[in-house]
Amino acid sequence: MTIKEYVKVRKEELKDLVASKEVVPHLVIVQLNEDDASNAYVRGKLKDAAELGIKADLYKFPVSMSEAELLKEIDKLNHDDSVDGFIVQMPLPKGINEETIKLAVSPAKDVDGFHPLSKLNPCTPQGIMDYLHRENVDILGKNAVVIGRSNIVGKPMAKLLLKESANVTVLHSKTKFEDMHNYIKNADIVVIAIGKQHYLDNRFEYKPSAVIVDVGINRDENGLHGDAIPGLPVRLQTPVPGGVGLLTRLALMENLLKIK
Ligand code: NAP
């Protein structure tokens, strides 16, 4: 099943789940930036929520808002019983510490899964795991290589794969090319999240049975491109666009419905 097909099917299931609830789940998105990419992400999230019958509100504040003012708004949301979950859209304007903000969101309402005490996982790795399960990709005892070690993708991805007993290797910008080549050659699952257009290409060798999950989003005048060239000689490769971005959006709705 392609990711688009999977997301469509899963949304139908979630729509039924929302309809079966006594109270409509309520999501709030807090946005302080005027970033084009963020505007597109926020629009997508509001559209997904509307499609599923979830109530979603956008609280848009000026970019000049101070950290103290934002913390006050977060405190209000933490205590507002009508709000089941909320997210603060990143990136935040200069002068506001993203880590402070992530820690201020109550773990009970943290649908982004960023708080260390949150019971939910960050949306990108969670969405990827859900898709791998749906595609019956074997994880236990398999060689999984995660390229990139960010707090929102690489590290939590490695943790989730390890939790399901994959043999996990995390690679990063200090990894030597020759080592990268050897790890990739032996990998059953490769998740790449580095933000380097078409980094995975024909310089590397791949197992024909491998699954490549391309998280990268690289923009140029021709549109969006992944961290891997399209059409690698493997069993399954997620496309960009129409790939992990959709899984991430779906996982946000899944996370909200796990709370409510
Ligand atoms: P990030 O915070 O910028 O981290 C990038 C990671 O890649 C770092 O760990 C860095 O290593 C590593 N790296 C950079 N160049 C490398 C190279 N040549 N070889 C090996 N590793 C290298 O990135 P992020 O937030 O995780 O995002 C990564 C990409 O995924 C971006 O394109 C972003 O737009 C995209 N993304 C997509 C979604 C989605 O829903 N599709 C969600 C989130 C992010 P060091 O730690 O050594 O510096």
Side-chain angles (χ1 to χ4, degrees), residues 26 53 79 90 94 120 123-124 130-132 134 144 152 157 167 201 209 223 244 250:
H26 185 194
H79 291 97
M90 303 288 165
K94 270 194 195 131
L120 301 167
C123 297
T124 301
D130 292 344
Y131 179 64
L132 294 179
R134 202 45 98 103
I152 61 160
M157 188 74 238
N167 315 318
D201 59 11
S209 58
V244 173
L250 183 66

Side-chain angles (χ1 to χ4, degrees), residues 22-97:
E22 273 176 31
V23 181
V24 176
H26 185 194
L27 170 74
V28 168
I29 300 174
V30 176
Q31 189 185 6
L32 271 77
N33 61 34
E34 270 307 342
D35 189 78
D36 282 349
S38 291
N39 284 337
Y41 294 143
V42 167
R43 272 198 307 277
K45 290 167 189 175
L46 293 171
K47 184 171 156 271
D48 289 342
E51 224 177 292
L52 301 187
I54 289 169
K55 177 172 155 60
D57 289 323
L58 173 62
Y59 289 11
K60 205 155 182 177
F61 296 111
V63 285
S64 57
M65 190 181 218
S66 69
E67 185 175 290
E69 287 167 324
L70 176 58
L71 287 171
K72 216 181 271 177
E73 292 300 330
I74 290 176
D75 189 53
K76 274 194 229 162
L77 286 164
N78 284 339
H79 291 97
D80 183 342
D81 290 339
S82 75
V83 175
D84 299 301
F86 67 98
I87 66 166
V88 181
Q89 183 65 42
M90 303 288 165
L92 291 170
K94 270 194 195 131
I96 301 188
N97 185 307

Side-chain angles (χ1 to χ4, degrees), residues 124 147-150 152-153 171-174 180 193-196 199 215-218 227 244-245 248:
T124 301
I147 314 176
R149 54 176 165 178
S150 70
I152 61 160
V153 187
L171 308 179
H172 43 73
S173 70
K174 307 291 182 287
M180 181 84 73
I194 65 173
K196 297 270 181 287
Y199 181 83
V215 183
I217 299 178
N218 306 288
D227 285 347
V244 173
T248 301

